[in-house]
Amino acid sequence: MVCAQFRVAVSARVDGEAPPPEVPGAVLDAHLLECPECRRWGERARRLRELAARLNGGLDGA
């Protein structure tokens, strides 16, 4: 499996969606322990989601 497949699973996790069937949670967790690039990618995805949520929250109050 290549990192691109794991990043799809990370994206689904960050968005609160079900992971792709070929990357169950335990397999993703094991990959993230071994792959610093995917961990960094996941952290950036989480930060982007948080920033977008804050921006959206700010727009709702306007």
Side-chain angles (χ1 to χ4, degrees):
M1 216 175 291
V2 295
C3 285
Q5 292 172 301
F6 288 104
R7 291 175 185 180
V8 169
V10 168
S11 180
R13 183 180 278 180
V14 167
D15 291 340
E17 300 171 354
E22 64 273 9
V23 187
V27 172
L28 176 59
D29 292 339
H31 178 77
L32 291 174
L33 286 173
E34 299 293 324
C35 184
E37 291 85 12
C38 284
R39 281 196 309 271
R40 281 192 295 273
W41 191 94
E43 184 54 37
R44 288 191 308 269
R46 279 186 289 280
R47 282 186 274 158
L48 179 60
R49 178 133 176 98
E50 290 170 2
L51 177 60
R54 277 189 258 145
L55 290 173
N56 188 36
L59 293 175
D60 288 344

